[in-house]
């Protein structure tokens, strides 16, 4: 049976709130680097003389390694000490940041980003596992709320800080800025964070399941890589199908190994715990939905509204700021509310926010967009604050690290799936809507009797031959009005030309509005999909509760032959 000491087993004088503050340094920097680099890509392309496709791997390498290692580092932390692994992760992250800033070429930068992601993969799941281990149950809601607030702040500041640092200093400083924070964080963690780990009943440290580690790494690597590259390689292409097949084989083999070994990498009985299973599924679908904001809304601001990258980052701020404020509020009062109820309300607000965003017009003002984003942000903050606490509430203390790693893996896989699915949907929708805009524009010009016949014929031919392929070309950007006034030169000088110029200006505005409205429909389709993902997470969670899927931790523990206990040690 499992035996576990509570947070009261910490040495006298150890303060969990100081430990939380120390852990936030590492968590903040890891999440900041998920978003801060994206806005610096154009500068990286120019400085390192590469192309945007190659530079995209600066983001992809980080995301790929980050997603693959979450479960592994969680298990290592459970076995060898969460504090030790967290500090090692911060050291690796700091080294990777330094090397990224010094990278002489794009190849080196991609490699160093992968190294940086090794450290980052430690910080998020292990920090959450430590919090659950050291805080008493009545204080966990507040602690996780503050932990979520740090995540929200990193999300909010990432693109803005990236733009400001790149414009005022250099893209290299987006990596150098991590160094002082990591140094301070390492010192504070060493001073304030107690050690927590799994030990066997006979006092020995558990063993690492090497076959399980290898198989889960292969399964996650191939799955995430296939999802990330599916749009560019083609979902029916041989490389994508081969990776998907290998992922399924590795996953099936992993399950077979874990059911046979005495000390598995992942205790599959965790998925029999109702709270853990429901949270994993909810966070997977929540992660898919949120890419409608983090990715598609940025495209909306840059491609349809004509914002630059930094302007788009500012326009997106209502979402993460609302999430941050909500997380702080829930940190203060959230312990009084059932976390599952908070999470379900959060999913409903995310669903409603995306549905309202899908109904917005192409000419909507900034405030009209901002309050919809803020509504999504409130829902996001509620989900970030509640589902981690709910997921780990019944996980045995000895397995908090791997449990946190699994939860974060589901969310990261959801993020990857969301990017792939929503971008595929957007690129599939754009050509047909642009074609419809072209046909409507041709009809508008043909019916315009104020245009001279020669000019009308010229405009129709130009519209019919316009390139509105996969990207939509210039017509995709609805921010710039089509200027037809120079065509007035086709008529002789005089009052007729001046009257025609005014008419052509108005006609150009109507054609631009047609294209903007059709492009808006493509964006709306992705936001309806995001709303559907969030709604599906809510429906599945409620159905599971009503049908009684899963069991409590006590029921699972009664079936298990457990050998580990959780021990909370003293800080040095």
């Amino acid at each position: 049976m499992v035996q576990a000491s509570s947070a009261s087993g910490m040495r006298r004088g150890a303060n969990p709130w100081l430990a939380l503050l120390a852990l936030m340094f590492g968590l903040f920097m890891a999440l900041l680097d998920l978003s801060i680099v994206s806005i610096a890509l154009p500068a990286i392309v120019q400085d390192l003389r590469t192309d945007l496709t190659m530079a995209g791997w600066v983001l992809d390498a980080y995301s790929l390694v980050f997603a693959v290692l979450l479960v592994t580092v969680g298990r290592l932390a459970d076995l060898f000490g969460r504090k030790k692994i967290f500090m090692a992760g911060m050291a690796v992250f700091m080294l990777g940041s330094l090397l990224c800033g010094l990278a002489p070429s794009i190849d080196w930068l991609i490699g160093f980003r992968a190294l940086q992601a090794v450290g980052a993969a430690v910080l998020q799941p292990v920090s959450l596992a430590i919090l659950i281990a050291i805080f008493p149950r009545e204080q966990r809601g507040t602690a996780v709320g503050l932990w979520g607030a740090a995540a929200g702040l990193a999300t909010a500041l990432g693109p803005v800080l990236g733009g400001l640092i790149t414009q005022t200093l250099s893209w290299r400083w987006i990596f150098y800025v991590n160094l002082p924070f990591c140094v301070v964080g390492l010192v504070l963690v060493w001073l304030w964070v107690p050690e927590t780990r799994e030990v066997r009943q006979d006092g020995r440290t558990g063993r690492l399941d090497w076959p399980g580690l290898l198989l889960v790494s292969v399964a996650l690597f191939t799955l995430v890589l296939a999802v990330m590259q599916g749009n560019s390689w083609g979902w029916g292409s041989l490389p994508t199908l081969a990776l998907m097949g290998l992922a399924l084989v590795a996953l099936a083999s992993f399950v077979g190994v874990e059911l046979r070994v005495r000390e598995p990498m992942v205790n599959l009985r965790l998925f029999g715990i109702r709270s853990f299973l429901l949270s994993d599924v909810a966070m997977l679908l929540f992660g898919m939905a949120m890419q409608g904001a983090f990715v598609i809304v940025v495209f909306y601001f840059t491609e349809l509204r004509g914002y630059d990258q930094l302007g788009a980052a500012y326009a997106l701020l209502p979402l993460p700021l609302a999430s941050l404020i909500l997380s702080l509020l829930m940190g203060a009062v959230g312990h009084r509310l059932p976390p599952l109820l908070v999470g379900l309300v959060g999913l409903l607000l995310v669903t409603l926010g995306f549905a309202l965003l899908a109904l917005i017009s192409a000419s909507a003002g900034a405030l009209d967009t901002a309050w919809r984003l803020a509504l999504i942000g409130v829902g996001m903050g509620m989900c970030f604050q509640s589902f981690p606490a709910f997921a780990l509430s019944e996980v045995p203390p000895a397995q908090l690290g791997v449990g946190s790693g699994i939860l974060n893996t589901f969310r990261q896989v959801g993020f990857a799936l969301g990017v792939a699915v929503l971008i595929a949907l957007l690129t599939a929708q754009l050509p047909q809507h642009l074609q419809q805009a072209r046909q409507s524009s041709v009809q508008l010009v043909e019916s315009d009797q104020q245009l001279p016949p020669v000019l009308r014929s010229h405009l129709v031919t130009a519209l019919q031959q316009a390139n509105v392929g996969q990207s939509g070309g210039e017509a995709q950007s609805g921010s710039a009005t089509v200027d037809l006034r120079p065509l007035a030169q086709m008529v002789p000088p005089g009052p007729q030309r001046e009257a025609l110029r005014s008419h052509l200006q108005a006609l150009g505005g109507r054609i631009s509005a047609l294209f903007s409205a059709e492009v808006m429909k493509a964006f709306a389709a992705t936001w309806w999909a995001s709303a559907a993902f969030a709604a599906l997470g809510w429906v599945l969670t409620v159905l599971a509760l009503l049908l009684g899927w899963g069991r409590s931790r006590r029921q699972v523990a009664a079936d298990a032959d457990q050998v580990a206990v959780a021990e909370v040690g003293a800080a040095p």
Side-chain angles (χ1 to χ4, degrees):
M1 297 294 293
V2 171
Q3 299 174 342
S5 62
S6 67
S8 60
M10 296 170 61
R11 70 175 174 90
R12 181 174 297 179
N15 189 329
W17 298 106
L18 292 179
L20 171 61
L21 177 62
L23 294 170
M24 279 184 175
F25 276 86
L27 172 69
F28 182 84
M29 300 315 299
L31 294 180
L32 188 71
D33 268 52
L34 278 171
S35 58
I36 195 173
V37 177
S38 58
I39 204 167
L41 281 185
I44 292 173
V45 169
Q46 182 178 5
D47 188 45
L48 297 183
R49 296 187 177 92
T50 184
D51 56 57
L52 193 57
T53 301
M54 191 69 176
W57 277 100
V58 175
L59 302 177
D60 292 343
Y62 189 93
S63 300
L64 182 60
V65 174
F66 186 85
V68 168
L69 292 181
L70 288 170
V71 176
T72 297
V73 299
R75 180 58 180 159
L76 291 174
D78 286 340
L79 288 176
F80 303 113
R82 299 183 186 111
K83 175 180 177 178
K84 292 186 182 70
I85 296 297
F86 188 89
M87 292 184 69
M90 286 195 74
V92 172
F93 183 80
M94 183 169 62
L95 175 61
S97 298
L98 175 63
L99 294 175
C100 283
L102 298 173
S105 68
I106 189 64
D107 296 324
W108 283 105
L109 179 58
I110 292 171
F112 293 147
R113 276 284 281 177
L115 175 64
Q116 189 189 34
V118 173
V122 175
L123 303 179
Q124 186 175 2
V126 177
S127 63
L128 180 58
I130 292 174
L131 292 185
I132 299 298
I134 65 177
F135 275 91
R137 183 177 295 273
E138 62 273 13
Q139 294 180 340
R140 285 177 189 168
T142 303
V144 174
L146 294 173
W147 180 87
L153 183 61
T155 304
L157 292 181
V160 175
L161 279 179
L164 292 176
I165 292 172
T166 302
Q167 287 184 2
T168 56
L169 296 171
S170 161
W171 65 265
R172 297 182 184 275
W173 279 93
I174 64 178
F175 300 110
Y176 293 147
V177 75
N178 294 333
L179 303 182
F181 285 94
C182 288
V183 170
V184 173
L186 278 171
V187 173
L188 296 184
V189 169
W190 181 72
L191 291 174
W192 292 343
V193 176
E195 184 61 279
T196 64
R197 65 187 178 94
E198 168 193 319
V199 296
R200 296 164 58 95
Q201 287 183 339
D202 56 13
R204 294 181 299 169
T205 300
R207 292 177 297 179
L208 187 62
D209 172 23
W210 287 102
L213 186 153
L214 176 62
L215 288 169
V216 75
S217 299
V218 170
L220 288 173
F221 179 85
T222 51
L223 173 62
V224 175
L225 181 60
V227 169
M228 289 171 60
Q229 296 297 113
N231 284 330
S232 57
W233 290 348
W235 291 101
S237 66
L238 181 60
T240 302
L241 293 177
L243 284 173
M244 289 288 192
L246 183 56
L248 289 175
V249 171
L251 183 61
S253 301
F254 171 73
V255 171
V257 168
E258 298 306 276
L259 290 175
R260 292 196 302 269
V261 298
R262 179 171 173 77
E263 297 182 47
M265 174 79 176
V266 174
N267 183 354
L268 298 180
R269 293 186 178 90
L270 288 177
F271 292 100
I273 300 175
R274 182 184 297 116
S275 57
F276 184 72
L277 178 61
L278 294 183
S279 297
D280 287 337
V281 174
M283 291 305 283
L284 173 72
L285 291 164
F286 167 77
M288 294 179 67
M290 288 311 301
Q291 295 311 307
F294 292 137
V295 176
I296 304 300
V297 170
V298 173
F299 285 161
Y300 163 76
F301 283 127
T302 57
E303 299 299 325
L304 188 62
R305 305 301 296 271
Y307 292 18
D308 59 19
Q309 290 290 328
L310 187 56
Y314 282 122
L316 190 62
L317 272 179
L319 187 151
L321 287 179
S323 176
L324 170 63
I325 293 170
L326 192 283
S327 295
L328 291 172
L329 178 64
M330 294 303 296
V333 303
H335 62 280
R336 304 173 187 172
L337 302 172
L340 180 58
L341 176 62
V342 174
L344 289 174
V345 173
L347 284 175
L348 280 180
L349 291 178
V350 170
T351 302
L352 178 61
F354 276 117
L356 292 171
L357 198 61
L359 295 173
I360 203 170
S361 68
S363 59
L367 289 178
D368 206 14
T369 306
W371 73 264
R372 290 168 165 85
L373 291 174
L375 183 62
I376 296 172
V378 170
M380 183 178 76
M382 297 179 79
C383 291
F384 271 137
Q385 192 275 340
S386 60
F387 280 117
F390 182 62
L392 300 182
S393 62
E394 294 187 306
V395 170
Q399 299 173 50
L400 286 173
V402 72
S404 177
I406 292 170
L407 177 68
N408 284 283
T409 298
F410 270 83
R411 188 176 64 193
Q412 287 302 125
V413 171
F415 284 161
L417 281 170
V419 171
V421 171
L422 295 177
I423 288 182
L425 179 60
L426 181 64
T427 55
Q429 290 281 315
L430 273 175
Q432 65 187 61
H433 285 294
L434 290 169
Q435 179 63 23
Q436 180 59 48
R438 181 168 63 177
Q439 293 175 358
S440 299
S441 298
V442 168
Q443 293 173 1
L444 177 65
V445 172
E446 288 178 336
S447 64
D448 192 333
Q449 299 302 314
Q450 296 186 48
L451 293 175
V454 174
L455 183 54
R456 188 187 311 128
S457 176
H458 174 79
L459 273 175
V460 168
T461 301
L463 285 167
Q464 289 174 340
Q465 295 177 351
N467 179 18
V468 288
Q470 291 297 320
S471 66
E474 293 181 359
Q476 185 174 337
S477 177
S479 60
T481 301
V482 177
D483 189 1
L484 301 179
R485 287 175 298 174
L487 295 178
Q489 302 299 323
M490 297 179 65
V491 301
Q496 183 183 8
R497 175 185 287 185
E498 294 306 314
L500 184 60
R501 284 172 61 88
S502 298
H503 181 69
L504 286 171
Q505 182 178 9
L507 181 61
R510 294 172 67 186
I511 291 175
S512 295
L514 283 173
F515 274 93
S516 294
E518 289 296 332
V519 172
M520 189 67 215
K521 292 178 182 178
F523 282 106
T526 64
W527 291 327
W528 282 121
S530 293
F533 292 143
L536 181 60
W538 186 90
V539 169
L540 290 178
T541 303
V542 172
L543 278 178
L545 290 172
L546 293 177
L547 296 176
W549 294 348
R551 297 169 293 170
S552 69
R553 190 187 80 182
R554 291 181 181 178
Q555 291 171 302
V556 173
D559 296 337
D561 180 20
Q562 300 283 355
V563 297
V565 300
E567 177 181 85
V568 180

